[in-house]
Amino acid sequence: MQAVTFEGVGAVAYRTVADPVLTGADEALVRMEAAGLCGSDLHVYRGREPGPDPGTPLGHELAGTVVEAGAAVRRFRPGERVVAPFSTACGDCFYCRHELPARCERGALFGFVSGGAGLAGCQAELVRVPLADASLVAVPPSVPSELAVLAGDVLATGWFGAASAGAAAGSTVAVIGCGAVGISAVAAARELGAATVFAIDPVAGRRALAERFGARGVMPEAAPAAVRAASDGRGADAIVEAVGSPAATALGYDLARPGATLAAIGVHHEPALAVAPGALYDKNLTYRAGRCPARAYLERALALLASERYPFAELVSHRLPLAAAPRAYAAFDRREPGWSKVVFHP
Ligand SMILES: [Zn+2]
Ligand SMILES: [Zn+2]
């Protein structure tokens, strides 16, 4: 099959690799219809994280159709359209039973094979899905695969951010960073009943899109005053930080009212938290962080896409064949204007 493979820092290739085959009775083989290119694919592309073995198919955002199911798979048959979270989960271990499938004892992240062990990615024509019954979710007929692909990471992570930050009925929520995940957090905060959602980003086009999801767009410099003006001078009840930088952490702290929760869903690489322990103490601030338990949000995410209450299709800036991946990675890496969310159609 054809796949997009990791070849080294700054290098991906579109090339032929061996077709995946089922290696266990609980696995399914999925023919890809849509595969997302994600900001976290760039962490290995840029060498900010140790990369997978050269030749590993990349990608962890997937929607497609089951073409083969192992003997122990009960919930899915060939021909069914499915999505998966970005990492598989068993549904049965301590963490899966405690709504933390991202830390499943048997799960694996798609697109990461190291030393020969791990799971190949989905920027490919086919992908092997272990733990298929617990990992896969059927896609409602009205949701096209190109939208369904947003459920397993982008929308799940945004929803996790809004929920972790404590977005609730009547609350004032601030979302820092209006990429696809941040805008998904805007939608989720509104679904959770937030009265006002501020969407904070220096890029005008991103703020404008966030406003189409019901947020109030604001520049980072103007955000503290705008949020206080809307909350009797207190600050935000819930802050979703979807950037992953020390400056974003510091801004989130600035925006928080005493007793607020700051949920960091951006991936951080700095060695220490940008806010001092004493500062957290002085605001009674709760700081939450961590990989999204995406499997726990998949049904909600798909139902929201099916509701058509938000223009999620507008999050996708580019729809491309797999062969365009080297160009897409480079453009995404250089933050070329207009490149926000890429969906490959294998
Ligand atoms: Zn992703
Ligand atoms: Zn598990």
Side-chain angles (χ1 to χ4, degrees), residues 32 34-38 59-63 86 122 149 153-154 341-342:
M32 295 300 304
L37 171 57
C38 178
H60 57 260
E61 300 182 355
L62 67 107
F86 55 81
C122 63
V149 73
D153 187 354
V154 169
K341 188 71 195 174
V342 176

